[in-house]
Amino acid sequence: MTPEKPDRSLFGWYREADRKTRRVFWTCGAGWVMDAADAQVYQYLIPLLITSLGITLTEAGSIASASYFAAAVGGWLGGWLCDRFGRARILQITILWFSVFSFLSGFAETYEQMLVIRVLHGIGFGAEWAVGAVLLGEMINPRHRGKALGAVQAGAPIGSGIAALLAGPVAASFDPDLGWRVAFWIGLAPALLIFFIRRGSDDAEVYKLARAQQRAENRTVSLGAIFGPGMIGVTMLASMLSLGVQGAAYSVANYLTSFMTAERGLTQGVAGYLVLINSIGGFFGCITNSYISDLAGRRTVFRIFGFGFLVMASIYLFGPWGGNLWFLVPIGMIYGFFQFGMYASFGPYFTELFPTEMRGSGQAFAYNSGRAGAALFILGVPLVAQFMPLSAAMATLGIVGIICALIPTLILPETAGRALSAVGEQNKAGNRP
């Protein structure tokens, strides 16, 4: 009997997946959409929060920064817990956690209350992506890991669009002091996703085998194992890659509306719609990245999208077309294609870099430490802008970020298609950088 040939069509990887893997894919994807929306909606609501809570722009920014730093700690802790107690169980907890604290954000009355609530929200927000990516990454066929996790990452621009709608038309439908609260209250909706996750039974066999081996050897993996001999190099280089990509993206994306109003002469409303349109290009960027990643390799796709980001950001920022939307809309979509698309290979690459026993903590720490460190890029743009135009400051920090991201791709190993392994197997294979 002739063996059945693999389905190489565009969505062949999905058709090859079993029912459980498909359910986990959709659950993780929906979780990441709402996770991204929950995080972005705060940024979009800042003007309303300043007026309603009587806080300053600096205080509003400090809340956002504190939330990102909390995400780094929460991600590391959540990743370690999922290594110890199971991916599916901790994913349920993280989804419920960030949903509840998003909901509670709508009841804040003072700066101090909002600060505490958003820090607690950040703990769950930081853990959700990494735990979900590990869960799905361990289940999917290695040949399709990039496509599956890239498709999940494509939920980020969708979440950004949802956040823009919540902070815009939805919030505007109510009294100004109530509208932002409603936007946060809707953030409770993702909690329903916990009913689509089956605790324990949804964990992949590779994880179950690794845990059984640990118990048989009466061995545990500590929270600091990712900094141990043989792993600290991987951890630091993966964190540097994450820092570079996110630092570059934040340096440009966080100031686009300010750039559009100050240097392109557009209104705040039109600038906001342009940023939303960029997210459309971002969706296709994530999907494209995911297919290239499986074909050409993780390191190659980071280089391609990093270079594309620099080129398109430069054209977007310095092109001689002023506020002409006939140019800004299509160019903005292509810019968004590369800006969001850069993220799509984090999931598969970090899943493959770390051994099973510490995959959750390693992946979560690398991704979220990069996100927390990227706050320095955000703070750096206005400082550099004191000596040059805002657009030049954005581009300068973007270049620094991409250089920071490209260096690890010259040192870390290529992992596309790699079968996931435990600590001992990985060491024997010589997979250290």
Side-chain angles (χ1 to χ4, degrees):
M1 183 176 179
T2 303
E4 186 177 345
K5 293 183 179 180
D7 189 340
R8 300 186 184 279
S9 61
L10 189 61
F11 299 104
W13 67 270
Y14 183 79
R15 285 189 285 269
E16 286 182 12
D18 59 28
R19 180 178 296 181
K20 182 173 79 169
T21 302
R22 293 181 185 183
R23 175 170 49 77
V24 170
F25 165 75
W26 285 110
T27 303
C28 292
W32 183 232
V33 167
M34 298 311 300
D35 188 322
D38 266 1
Q40 288 291 327
V41 74
Y42 174 84
Q43 309 288 347
Y44 298 151
L45 288 171
I46 283 179
L48 291 177
L49 295 176
I50 290 174
T51 302
S52 182
L53 298 181
I55 62 178
T56 66
L57 180 60
T58 300
E59 288 175 328
S62 69
I63 292 173
S65 297
S67 179
Y68 279 126
F69 281 108
V73 176
W76 185 16
L77 179 60
W80 177 73
L81 289 172
C82 87
D83 285 337
R84 190 174 180 86
F85 299 108
R87 320 308 197 193
R89 176 182 300 181
I90 302 303
L91 182 60
Q92 284 182 317
I93 294 172
T94 58
I95 289 175
L96 183 62
W97 184 286
F98 82 73
S99 300
V100 168
F101 282 103
S102 178
F103 176 71
L104 292 178
S105 299
F107 293 97
E109 296 290 347
T110 65
Y111 164 76
E112 291 78 13
Q113 290 176 3
M114 183 63 82
L115 176 64
V116 171
I117 293 171
R118 296 307 291 182
V119 165
L120 291 172
H121 172 272
I123 292 174
F125 164 70
E128 189 275 335
W129 174 85
V131 176
V134 170
L135 174 63
L136 180 60
E138 290 180 336
M139 297 178 67
I140 203 74
N141 186 313
R143 292 186 295 110
H144 303 310
R145 191 174 291 123
K147 290 185 280 292
L149 292 176
V152 169
Q153 188 68 48
I158 296 175
S160 179
I162 291 174
L165 293 175
L166 289 175
V170 172
S173 300
F174 300 87
D175 180 86
D177 187 52
L178 179 62
W180 65 267
R181 298 182 188 276
V182 172
F184 279 130
W185 290 338
I186 293 174
L188 186 62
L192 296 174
L193 293 173
I194 66 174
F195 298 108
F196 296 92
I197 305 168
R198 295 173 186 168
R199 185 168 55 188
S201 66
D202 274 349
D203 287 332
E205 288 303 315
V206 65
Y207 170 77
K208 294 176 183 177
L209 290 173
R211 285 295 294 159
Q213 185 67 27
Q214 283 182 277
R215 295 189 187 99
E217 298 174 358
N218 195 26
R219 174 171 54 87
T220 59
V221 177
S222 68
L223 185 61
I226 58 174
F227 301 108
M231 287 309 306
I232 187 170
V234 172
T235 301
M236 300 312 294
L237 287 169
S239 299
M240 184 178 179
L241 174 61
S242 174
L243 171 64
V245 168
Q246 298 188 76
Y250 290 171
S251 296
V252 179
N254 275 44
Y255 295 96
L256 273 181
T257 53
S258 299
F259 159 74
M260 291 292 181
T261 55
E263 296 190 24
R264 294 290 187 192
L266 300 174
T267 66
Q268 183 73 23
V270 172
Y273 279 115
L274 283 174
V275 173
L276 181 60
I277 288 172
N278 293 353
S279 299
I280 299 174
F283 174 84
F284 292 102
C286 288
I287 298 299
T288 303
N289 176 303
S290 68
Y291 279 83
I292 297 175
S293 179
D294 279 337
L295 290 172
R298 316 303 185 210
R299 298 184 301 178
T300 298
V301 79
F302 274 114
R303 295 166 189 164
I304 292 172
F305 273 74
F307 179 73
F309 169 81
L310 284 183
V311 171
M312 292 311 304
S314 299
I315 294 174
Y316 199 39
L317 294 174
F318 302 118
W321 30 74
N324 191 325
L325 298 182
W326 289 104
F327 289 96
L328 291 176
V329 168
I331 292 172
M333 288 185 67
I334 301 173
Y335 157 78
F337 176 94
F338 288 103
Q339 185 231 305
F340 285 98
M342 287 194 296
Y343 287 73
S345 284
F346 276 134
Y349 199 26
F350 288 178
T351 295
E352 293 157 350
L353 282 174
F354 293 95
T356 303
E357 293 92 330
M358 59 186 78
R359 182 166 296 124
S361 56
Q363 183 160 328
F365 178 84
Y367 184 80
N368 286 290
S369 63
R371 178 158 51 189
L376 299 176
F377 283 79
I378 298 174
L379 295 173
V381 169
L383 294 177
V384 176
Q386 296 178 18
F387 308 98
M388 59 182 69
L390 177 60
S391 55
M394 294 160 66
T396 299
L397 271 294
I399 291 170
V400 172
I402 293 301
I403 293 173
C404 179
L406 292 181
I407 292 174
T409 69
L410 302 175
I411 306 171
L412 287 169
E414 181 53 63
T415 62
R418 173 189 288 182
L420 302 182
S421 60
V423 172
E425 296 168 340
Q426 192 171 41
N427 291 344
K428 290 177 183 177
N431 287 329
R432 300 176 187 176

